[in-house]
Amino acid sequence: MLRIHFTPRDLARVTVATRPAPLWEVLLSLHMLQHSDGRLIFEDWRRQVRARVAPDQMRLLLELTPSKGYSPDFLTPAESEPDFDSALEQTLATPRQQLRSQLDLLATYRPASPWTRELAQGGRMSMHKLGRAIRTYHDAAIAPYWKSIGTHVSADHAHRGEALARHGVDRLLSSLHPRVRWVAPVLQVLDMNDRDLYLDGRGIELQPSAFCWQVPTKLRDPDLKPILVYPIQHAPGILRQASGEPALSSDPLGSLLGSTRAAALEATVHGCTTTELAKRCNISPAAASHQATVLREAGLITTRRAGASVRHEITQLGIWLLSGHGSGHPRPPTQTPV
């Protein structure tokens, strides 16, 4: 069991990421590619990725990312930028000493290969080869699904933010995941190696992830920025491919709800006031209020008072509807709700 120890200062510095982290999704998707779990969610994706990525490119990455156990921290930089290109640059700029020490640690879990020994030298050509392999894989396995992943991560953030705003950090931490227990001042993560992590006032970033599966994960090095990556609630359709952004009139969701109402539903993924909803949909405040009423009465959003205004947020039913957009009817999640 991992035990994360909080001080009062740490509790004031808990944050929830607003968007997915591209290199965490790359790493964790490589893990999922090597498993057979979650077939309803991932099997079509696995088949498509294996058909798209050349075996030699895949081999390089899989040697760095075993299905279980340690993967080097430099693949997911602690201070990573939110966009893929900048995050990849940070990985490729890993200091040579750090690169070597982490790959030496990997070699204690699995025998070093000619490729990992070459990479441990940190030469320009080996780093270029790594960058090309990560980019090729990302373009095939992550980029086509990025909008869908982002929608679900943003919705998760909105729900976590509501829990934090309405009930405080205790509710946020205690409801994070079924395999996580909050026994103040310690956050216990089951099914992880027996270890203690002392935050010592640094706080912690909670990073929702589409490819994290069943149990949260983190960086191994306790001196790096504390990040706990946890699974969002998985539902069929979470890995919906982008389709060239068709016009709303030919969009199945737009046909079902009407283009304005479909746009209003998508706007509530991030949470918004009625005024913000009107601006995002380019309609009047009165029309925005009407659209919100219809969506709320259908169970697709919730509305709560926030000071002098009201705030609209998508429900799980609304997320399922967005998930089913373009791929049939939405279906309920296959995991116990968080």
Side-chain angles (χ1 to χ4, degrees):
M1 177 194 303
L2 170 67
R3 294 169 295 276
I4 304 176
H5 298 261
F6 287 72
T7 67
R9 187 179 179 190
D10 294 312
L11 291 173
R13 302 185 69 183
V14 175
T15 60
V16 184
T18 61
R19 62 186 74 184
L23 291 188
W24 274 109
E25 299 299 343
V26 166
L27 173 66
L28 295 170
S29 69
L30 284 162
H31 292 169
M32 286 306 303
L33 197 62
Q34 300 172 75
H35 288 289
S36 59
D37 296 346
R39 292 188 176 183
L40 185 60
I41 310 297
F42 297 110
E43 198 57 32
D44 286 346
W45 169 84
R46 289 186 181 106
R47 184 173 59 253
Q48 292 163 0
V49 171
R50 287 167 180 152
R52 292 171 179 167
V53 182
D56 60 330
Q57 296 287 311
M58 188 74 75
R59 176 184 57 78
L60 297 179
L61 296 178
L62 294 183
E63 288 184 12
L64 294 171
T65 58
S67 61
K68 293 183 179 179
Y70 175 70
S71 293
D73 287 341
F74 72 81
L75 294 173
T76 51
E79 302 290 348
S80 180
E81 295 294 328
D83 65 288
F84 170 72
D85 289 328
S86 298
L88 181 57
E89 286 182 13
Q90 288 177 273
T91 285
L92 300 181
T94 302
R96 188 169 297 189
Q97 183 178 357
Q98 184 179 340
L99 194 73
R100 185 180 298 112
S101 66
Q102 292 183 19
L103 289 172
D104 285 347
L105 179 57
L106 178 64
T108 66
Y109 290 89
R110 63 187 307 177
S113 69
W115 156 240
T116 57
R117 285 193 293 268
E118 174 191 344
L119 187 60
Q121 301 305 311
R124 182 180 301 175
M125 290 304 297
S126 61
M127 296 305 286
H128 177 73
K129 186 187 297 186
L130 173 64
R132 185 170 65 247
I134 293 175
R135 183 175 296 279
T136 297
Y137 177 80
H138 170 270
D139 290 349
I142 304 298
Y145 311 92
W146 191 246
K147 181 178 179 182
S148 179
I149 291 170
T151 294
H152 286 78
V153 167
S154 294
D156 180 272
H157 173 269
H159 287 296
R160 305 292 178 189
E162 180 183 13
L164 180 62
R166 298 182 68 180
H167 305 289
V169 70
D170 279 332
R171 174 67 66 86
L172 172 65
L173 295 176
S174 63
S175 63
L176 191 62
H177 189 267
R179 306 304 294 164
V180 173
R181 295 174 183 168
W182 173 238
V183 184
V186 179
L187 190 68
Q188 302 174 346
V189 186
L190 308 182
D191 304 323
M192 293 188 71
N193 290 338
D194 192 55
R195 189 168 299 169
D196 291 277
L197 173 63
Y198 293 89
L199 299 180
D200 294 329
R202 294 175 295 169
I204 192 167
E205 180 177 357
L206 304 175
Q207 174 64 62
S209 167
F211 281 100
C212 191
W213 182 250
Q214 294 190 337
V215 65
T217 188
K218 70 172 189 66
L219 296 168
R220 180 185 178 89
D221 188 344
D223 293 328
L224 294 174
K225 174 185 176 181
I227 298 172
L228 185 68
V229 183
Y230 67 90
I232 62 174
Q233 185 167 280
H234 291 93
I238 193 172
L239 296 178
R240 187 180 73 243
Q241 291 192 70
S243 55
E245 302 298 331
L248 282 173
S249 60
S250 62
D251 183 355
L253 184 58
S255 299
L256 175 65
L257 298 179
S259 59
T260 300
R261 196 160 297 150
L265 178 61
E266 193 147 5
T268 63
V269 165
H270 304 276
C272 60
T273 65
T274 302
T275 300
E276 291 168 340
L277 182 62
K279 290 180 179 178
R280 293 177 190 179
C281 298
N282 196 28
I283 55 179
S284 69
S289 179
H290 171 71
Q291 297 295 350
T293 298
V294 173
L295 292 171
R296 183 172 61 254
E297 290 177 350
L300 301 178
I301 68 170
T302 60
T303 300
R304 62 180 176 86
R305 182 152 296 281
S309 60
V310 296
R311 187 167 182 82
H312 310 291
E313 294 171 343
I314 196 167
T315 65
Q316 190 62 57
L317 180 60
I319 295 172
W320 294 340
L321 188 59
L322 287 177
S323 298
H325 165 201
S327 59
H329 298 291
R331 289 167 286 182
T334 57
Q335 277 187 257
T336 303
V338 176

